Amino acid sequence: MINTNPSNSMRFRSKIVMTAAFSLLFGAVAANFFKISVLNNKKYQDMANDQHFGSISISAHRGTIYDSKGITLAKSATVYKIFIDPAAFKDDLESLQKRINKRNEDKANGTYTPEYDEKGQEINVLPESAEEFKNKAAAFIALKLNVTAEKVKKAMDAEGRYSELKVQTEKAVADEILDYFYDMGFVSIGSVEDTKRYYPQNDLAASVIGFTRGDIAYGIESSYNKYLSGVDGRTVSAKDSNGKELPYRYSKTFEPKDGDDVYLTIDREIQYILEKHLKEMSEEHDVKNRSCAIMMNPKTGAILGMATYPSFDLNDPIELSSDMLLKRVFYDKEIENPTEKDIEECTPEARERQWNNKCISERYEPGSVFKIITAASVVEEKSVDVDTWSHVCNGVEYFQDGDRKLPIACHSVDTGGHGPVSFQEALTKSCNPAFMALGQALGMEKFQYYFDAFGFREPTGIDLPYEANGDLPKLGDGPTDMNPIDLAEASFGQCETVTPIELITACSAVVNGGYLLQPYVVDKVVDQDGNIVLNNERTVRRQVISEESSKTMADALRNVVIGNTAGNVDIMGFAIGGKSGTSQRFSAIKQNVAQEYGKENENLNEYGASYLCFTPSDDPELILLVLADMPDKSNQQYYGSKCAVPCAQDILTDVLRYLDKSPEYDETELKNLNVKVPLLKGASIDDAIKTIQGLGGGSVKYEKIGNGIEVVEQSPITGTYISKDGCIYLYTEKGNTYEPVTVPDLSYYSPELANEVLSALGLNYVAKNSLATQEGATVKSQSIDPYSVVAKGTTIELEFQAQSFND
């Protein structure tokens, strides 16, 4: 008989196989358990929490943005999210209907007793039905929240415990809605704190401050978001065994942590001054591609003001502030007669341009202002002896361009050139051929070296987003690499492109001892407990030129102003260095600008008018750059000296006055210094005359009116300024203290003729600027309108203009 039972060896093998199988299975289970409970613990814990808990986010208040004086530029205020608990709302409706049914029964049985207030009006009045209340409530909420009743009803009928009706609701509106429902005994409508961003200064410094809207962020709001944003809180509610959220009275709230406050280096008043005069310049010269200005401390890199015009309202950034932006988009897209569809399609791009900070995000050809960089490089390299070097300018230089010669002109081409010019004269007269020669003396390699050393092909590191870099053809043998013509044009600022922030930072290095700094707009970040969590300070990126070379350049740029006050910012009592520039905007126009004998086709070209200045020249504390991008060409006022310089003059004058900087007059200025009229009223006539004779070195005149022995009135009044040879009128009899004079129109009068006419009328004048001493100067404006009637002796402030070269 055959034995069918398994042998011992078979049993042994089976045990081994089964043991191995169970071991593998147990190992897999253990490994998976370890993975779930240890490695992926947080993931599954979150999944479990999602099943057992629901939550509402409570927005943290963003930190406040202040200017350097602590004035609020951006802040968050408490608003509210209004929500409905749909499940509880259904319960509330059922409860309401039961109360209505009970009321109806009581009325039918004659047992209903109404309640009245002090005025005899019935209170706690119930609607005819719960459905009627639902419809009225939906209409009420829709009206208060400016949403549709359909949206409200959809939220009321939704599943779950939370349906959002509106965010960022003002407290008064939120309270009114909650009271409306609480009066009916409803607990299903609720609110949680939310936050809303406000910009109290509206459009001031808009491109610097920036804004947040959904996923969009610009300016400081973007670059310092990790400090400003804070940590959101939550209201967490439990769920029952069926996964339904319990009512919110069983919830727990975790409070948000508000963001840190940011203090800027920007001064609101300086910012206002920049924006005010930038607007005036842009409107007067019909600037087509926006204007911008930067004021900085060249010793530290701190930005005191940074403006772009037109600006935009931070409280409504979607609204286009100017049609200028749309026109530029149409130009770039070659749309000559835009339709409504074109406007609709191009508006988003125009809006993006509006939000861009022109000072840091747009490149342009710097023109003659870049001669500061070329000159500084030559001085540092000692490429020429600046004390003995000279160049003869004939108005045009020719460069071999393949089979033809390309003319590159000087602005003096119509007069046959500047003739022999020294290094200082080349800078003062802004002679292009002379700078082409200096560029050749420096050479391509060194020119490239200093272009990079001054930081034009790298970010400045400013703490703002979307910074662009400058550009210049590189060394090499390719068709796009630098050639002798490129070097010639680059030497006077025409081949390269830079950003305004790069240029002012590089020029700061030229005059501050040679140190290239990192500019910054945020001074410090402070948390809600008052602790400083970030403090920005002077950061030296590298030293580009020596202190000796820097002093040489600062003196040379001071001499530019002294040698041509008509084409530069000149304020009595302040030593200012500066340089203007007018560039051809090749990178911003589509057409090729043809040249013939060194002249451009004016119908095709566009220009950038700019000016850079600093003060005091021997130890700069302020540096300013103004750019008008594409001013109107029709009146020949598109030059930097005619467009940007007057704007810079007004800005610097106002800023120096605001900062209470004391003037320091040189000998020439002291000789022509205006005289402050003292208090003479009430003094004896003899004492008054003696006082006047001591003014202005005895040059001030006086006229006695009447036969009295005491001054009963004077003109001009105390504190007014008059010129050193002006006249003070002393009235000595009551009732005879006013003589009317009609102010003449002094437009285009010379200083001498203006003085003669005003003196004959018994009027005084003071010069607003020092151009009154310049040959060929004429009156540009007067402080009192022509044909106004004023008192005899009144002082009129005259602003003079003089013929300046076209830079």
Side-chain angles (χ1 to χ4, degrees):
M1 182 176 178
I2 300 174
N3 186 4
T4 58
N5 294 324
S7 64
N8 290 333
S9 62
M10 291 175 66
R11 290 193 186 95
F12 180 73
R13 286 197 300 273
S14 296
K15 289 178 180 179
I16 291 175
V17 171
M18 292 180 68
T19 300
F22 277 113
S23 297
L24 288 172
L25 182 61
F26 177 79
V29 172
N32 200 41
F33 178 77
F34 178 79
K35 179 180 179 183
I36 292 173
S37 62
V38 179
L39 299 181
N40 293 336
N41 175 270
K42 188 176 186 309
K43 172 184 175 182
Y44 290 100
Q45 185 67 48
D46 291 342
M47 292 173 64
N49 287 341
D50 286 343
Q51 291 183 354
H52 294 289
F53 298 97
S55 66
I56 304 173
S57 173
I58 304 175
S59 300
H61 281 219
R62 286 179 72 79
T64 302
I65 300 176
Y66 298 98
D67 86 332
S68 61
K69 298 291 196 311
I71 296 171
T72 302
L73 302 176
K75 66 177 181 178
S76 291
T78 298
V79 287
Y80 294 85
K81 291 179 185 176
I82 307 298
F83 67 88
I84 186 171
D85 180 339
F89 184 72
K90 293 179 178 67
D91 293 340
D92 284 340
L93 285 176
E94 290 179 7
S95 176
L96 175 61
Q97 189 60 51
K98 289 178 182 178
R99 290 159 54 202
I100 292 172
N101 294 338
K102 177 70 168 56
R103 178 205 63 184
N104 292 340
E105 289 177 9
D106 290 344
K107 281 186 174 182
N109 297 330
T111 59
Y112 177 72
T113 305
E115 298 179 45
Y116 298 94
D117 61 15
E118 296 176 352
K119 297 180 180 180
Q121 295 180 334
E122 187 177 353
I123 59 175
N124 299 325
V125 178
L126 297 177
E128 289 299 316
S129 67
E131 187 64 27
E132 177 193 280
F133 175 77
K134 178 181 177 181
N135 291 332
K136 287 184 176 179
F140 175 78
I141 293 175
L143 176 65
K144 293 300 177 181
L145 297 183
N146 194 26
V147 296
T148 63
E150 289 72 20
K151 177 181 178 179
V152 178
K153 287 183 177 180
K154 185 176 180 180
M156 291 174 170
D157 296 334
E159 297 295 326
R161 287 283 183 179
Y162 179 81
S163 186
E164 198 168 81
L165 293 171
K166 187 73 179 286
V167 298
Q168 297 195 344
T169 304
E170 300 295 337
K171 186 178 188 303
V173 175
D175 288 345
E176 193 174 356
I177 291 173
L178 295 180
D179 289 344
Y180 180 87
F181 284 92
Y182 290 163
D183 289 345
M184 294 301 297
F186 277 48
V187 295
S188 51
I189 303 293
S191 68
V192 292
E193 281 193 10
D194 196 3
T195 182
K196 183 177 181 180
R197 202 66 163 160
Y198 291 95
Y199 300 93
Q201 310 298 326
N202 297 317
D203 60 352
L204 190 78
S207 59
V208 176
I209 298 168
F211 63 93
T212 59
R213 182 178 287 260
D215 295 332
I216 301 174
Y218 285 84
I220 294 297
E221 295 278 30
S222 172
S223 56
Y224 281 82
N225 182 61
K226 69 177 182 178
Y227 294 102
L228 289 164
S229 58
V231 180
D232 290 346
R234 286 203 169 282
T235 295
V236 180
S237 59
K239 293 182 180 180
D240 63 18
S241 59
N242 295 318
K244 294 183 178 180
E245 291 181 36
L246 297 176
Y248 278 87
R249 60 179 174 269
Y250 301 117
S251 64
K252 180 176 177 61
T253 297
F254 297 90
E255 296 296 333
K257 181 181 181 299
D258 292 342
D260 300 329
D261 296 333
V262 170
Y263 289 79
L264 305 187
T265 58
I266 287 177
D267 184 309
R268 183 188 67 167
E269 293 305 314
I270 293 178
Q271 182 71 26
Y272 170 75
I273 290 168
L274 261 64
E275 295 191 10
K276 172 189 173 185
H277 294 301
L278 207 59
K279 179 177 186 290
E280 293 169 350
M281 177 191 71
S282 300
E283 293 179 350
E284 179 183 352
H285 294 278
D286 191 21
V287 178
K288 295 190 284 294
N289 197 31
R290 299 201 294 169
S291 303
C292 66
I294 305 171
M295 179 167 279
M296 186 165 79
N297 182 336
K299 293 181 177 180
T300 64
I303 303 295
L304 307 179
M306 177 181 282
T308 299
Y309 181 82
S311 186
F312 61 94
D313 188 349
L314 287 167
N315 294 301
D316 187 16
I318 300 299
E319 181 72 21
L320 281 181
S321 60
S322 170
D323 61 359
M324 172 203 303
L325 302 151
L326 263 175
K327 288 179 180 178
R328 286 308 302 171
V329 177
F330 295 151
Y331 174 86
D332 292 341
K333 294 182 179 294
E334 300 184 359
I335 300 174
E336 294 184 2
N337 299 302
T339 63
E340 288 295 326
K341 183 179 179 181
D342 291 328
I343 294 173
E344 182 180 350
E345 292 177 349
C346 293
T347 294
E349 185 174 340
R351 194 177 288 131
E352 286 282 345
R353 295 188 183 197
Q354 170 174 273
W355 298 336
N356 279 339
N357 186 339
K358 189 177 181 73
C359 295
I360 67 170
S361 299
E362 293 185 19
R363 300 185 300 187
Y364 74 107
E365 294 83 356
S368 292
V369 174
F370 195 84
K371 289 171 180 172
I372 297 173
I373 306 301
T374 303
S377 304
V378 168
V379 170
E380 178 66 13
E381 281 297 312
K382 296 181 174 57
S383 302
V384 301
D385 184 340
V386 297
D387 294 325
T388 60
W389 179 88
S390 68
H391 179 80
V392 178
C393 169
N394 296 312
V396 181
E397 295 286 338
Y398 290 90
F399 289 82
Q400 197 67 40
D401 183 28
D403 296 332
R404 66 188 182 98
K405 285 189 175 182
L406 176 68
I408 301 180
C410 184
H411 58 82
S412 64
V413 61
D414 291 334
T415 59
H418 291 116
V421 291
S422 65
F423 177 83
Q424 180 63 61
E425 289 171 331
L427 199 57
T428 301
K429 296 180 179 180
S430 200
C431 178
N432 287 350
F435 268 86
M436 292 183 229
L438 289 172
Q440 288 177 326
L442 187 62
M444 283 190 193
E445 288 188 8
K446 286 297 182 182
F447 192 93
Q448 292 274 348
Y449 168 80
Y450 282 101
F451 189 80
D452 290 335
F454 277 110
F456 289 110
R457 264 194 287 240
E458 64 180 276
T460 63
I462 191 171
D463 45 349
L464 288 170
Y466 315 121
E467 183 181 1
N469 299 338
D471 194 23
L472 174 74
K474 297 181 179 179
L475 291 173
D477 299 324
T480 61
D481 294 326
M482 180 174 262
N483 58 46
I485 296 176
D486 293 333
L487 176 62
E489 293 182 337
S491 66
F492 58 86
Q494 198 54 68
C495 182
E496 61 276 77
T497 56
V498 303
T499 65
I501 189 63
E502 283 182 326
L503 186 59
I504 194 171
T505 303
C507 290
S508 292
V510 171
V511 299
N512 71 6
Y515 299 97
L516 187 69
L517 305 178
Q518 179 175 309
Y520 58 97
V521 296
V522 169
D523 177 38
K524 61 185 176 182
V525 178
V526 180
D527 68 16
Q528 295 303 308
D529 296 322
N531 302 310
I532 296 177
V533 296
L534 176 71
N535 192 29
N536 286 328
E537 296 177 334
R538 178 178 187 263
T539 301
V540 177
R541 293 154 67 191
R542 54 184 167 268
Q543 185 170 9
V544 185
I545 62 175
S546 68
E547 294 190 3
E548 181 183 1
S549 297
S550 176
K551 185 180 184 308
T552 298
M553 282 304 304
D555 291 343
L557 291 168
R558 171 61 181 149
N559 288 329
V560 167
V561 175
I562 294 172
N564 178 30
T565 53
N568 288 278
V569 169
D570 185 42
I571 304 171
M572 290 185 66
F574 295 94
I576 299 169
K579 183 74 188 77
S580 60
T582 307
S583 62
Q584 301 165 49
R585 294 289 280 111
F586 291 137
S587 62
I589 56 177
K590 294 185 294 293
Q591 301 98 330
N592 243 349
V593 181
Q595 284 191 331
E596 183 179 3
Y597 303 113
K599 292 186 177 181
E600 296 80 28
N601 186 329
E602 288 296 319
N603 294 323
L604 301 180
N605 209 351
E606 294 288 355
Y607 297 92
S610 59
Y611 185 70
L612 181 132
C613 60
F614 55 94
T615 190
S617 60
D618 59 344
D619 188 20
E621 296 176 356
L622 298 173
I623 188 167
L624 170 68
L625 175 65
V626 174
L627 167 64
D629 198 358
M630 301 185 186
D632 179 43
K633 301 176 295 183
S634 61
N635 58 4
Q636 296 295 305
Q637 296 294 305
Y638 59 85
Y639 296 97
S641 58
K642 296 178 179 178
C643 178
V645 167
C647 178
Q649 173 95 18
D650 291 338
I651 289 173
L652 198 55
T653 299
D654 287 355
V655 168
L656 290 170
R657 185 182 297 119
Y658 164 68
L659 295 176
D660 200 22
K661 296 291 185 181
S662 300
E664 296 181 7
Y665 301 104
D666 58 28
E667 290 185 11
T668 302
E669 290 173 330
L670 283 171
K671 290 178 182 178
N672 296 284
L673 205 56
N674 295 322
V675 176
K676 188 175 183 180
V677 177
L679 175 61
L680 302 172
K681 183 179 178 180
S684 69
I685 190 65
D686 292 337
D687 287 345
I689 292 173
K690 188 180 296 184
T691 299
I692 292 173
Q693 290 174 339
L695 298 175
S699 61
V700 177
K701 299 185 287 291
Y702 70 91
E703 183 177 324
K704 176 187 171 185
I705 302 171
N707 298 315
I709 61 173
E710 181 181 320
V711 178
V712 298
E713 195 57 76
Q714 67 180 79
S715 183
I717 61 174
T718 304
T720 305
Y721 282 88
I722 61 175
S723 62
K724 61 181 177 60
D725 55 355
C727 184
I728 300 175
Y729 295 86
L730 305 174
Y731 295 89
T732 62
E733 295 177 0
K734 292 182 179 181
N736 181 27
T737 59
Y738 181 83
E739 293 184 54
V741 178
T742 301
V743 176
D745 185 351
L746 301 170
S747 300
Y748 304 107
Y749 278 35
S750 68
E752 295 78 15
L753 181 58
N755 185 35
E756 181 180 334
V757 170
L758 292 175
S759 295
L761 292 171
L763 296 174
N764 287 292
Y765 91 89
V766 292
K768 186 177 179 180
N769 51 14
S770 61
L771 291 179
T773 61
Q774 182 132 337
E775 185 178 351
T778 58
V779 174
K780 179 183 179 183
S781 65
Q782 57 192 80
S783 61
I784 300 178
D785 292 336
Y787 314 117
S788 301
V789 177
V790 298
K792 189 174 184 178
T794 298
T795 299
I796 301 174
E797 187 179 56
L798 301 180
E799 181 180 5
F800 290 93
Q801 62 187 354
Q803 184 63 37
S804 63
F805 62 82
N806 300 332
D807 40 65

